[in-house]
Amino acid sequence: MNVLRAQFRLLALAFTALAAAAALTIAGASGQAAAGVFTELQLQPGTSSGGIGGAVVRGDSDTYILEARSGQLFSAGLGSVEDNATFTLIAPDGTILAIEETYTEVWLPLSGDYVLDIAPTRGNAEYYLQIEIL
């Protein structure tokens, strides 16, 4: 158990370092993201939707963190040049709300930081993600 706990702490430290190194806040309706992104996604003040484009290589993923409140309706659509990318949406408590989707609408169960993870299904993928939170 102590070995598992130590490995978890090491992994958490690695993710924290990665997040600090890539501390890029994307504010606005569009932007270009690099492969292996781990960043916060923020909508422009006064808006409820936005989008971002990027590219992700096989075996990697782009991870976006977005803050939302319980009871909000979240919708996301993901398009990719070769129709080879999907996303997974994870709630603040770790519950998976959508897995390997290209479109979803879901009522958010909790307030907090949601994880949106984009990964290719085959090869490398160029994508554009459009989200709306009402």
Side-chain angles (χ1 to χ4, degrees):
M1 184 66 153
N2 286 335
V3 171
L4 183 60
R5 186 173 293 155
Q7 288 176 338
F8 178 76
R9 285 182 183 162
L10 184 59
L11 183 60
L13 180 61
F15 276 122
T16 302
L18 179 63
L24 169 67
T25 300
I26 300 168
S30 67
Q32 185 67 28
V37 168
F38 187 93
T39 190
E40 183 179 0
L41 180 61
Q42 293 182 338
L43 302 177
Q44 278 196 358
T47 65
S48 62
S49 65
I52 186 164
V56 62
V57 298
R58 180 176 49 168
D60 207 346
S61 66
D62 284 359
T63 303
Y64 297 97
I65 308 298
L66 53 133
E67 185 178 355
R69 292 183 312 276
S70 172
Q72 288 185 298
L73 177 63
F74 172 86
S75 62
L78 180 71
S80 56
V81 174
E82 296 180 22
D83 195 27
N84 64 335
T86 61
F87 66 83
T88 297
L89 179 65
I90 304 169
D93 67 353
T95 302
I96 297 174
L97 302 176
I99 187 165
E100 295 182 357
E101 298 286 345
T102 57
Y103 180 81
T104 195
E105 281 186 334
V106 62
W107 292 99
L108 300 177
L110 302 167
S111 294
D113 290 336
Y114 285 78
V115 174
L116 188 73
D117 193 61
I118 300 172
T121 56
R122 65 185 187 290
N124 301 337
E126 291 182 43
Y127 64 85
Y128 186 80
L129 172 70
Q130 183 69 32
I131 64 167
E132 183 173 41
I133 302 174
L134 300 173

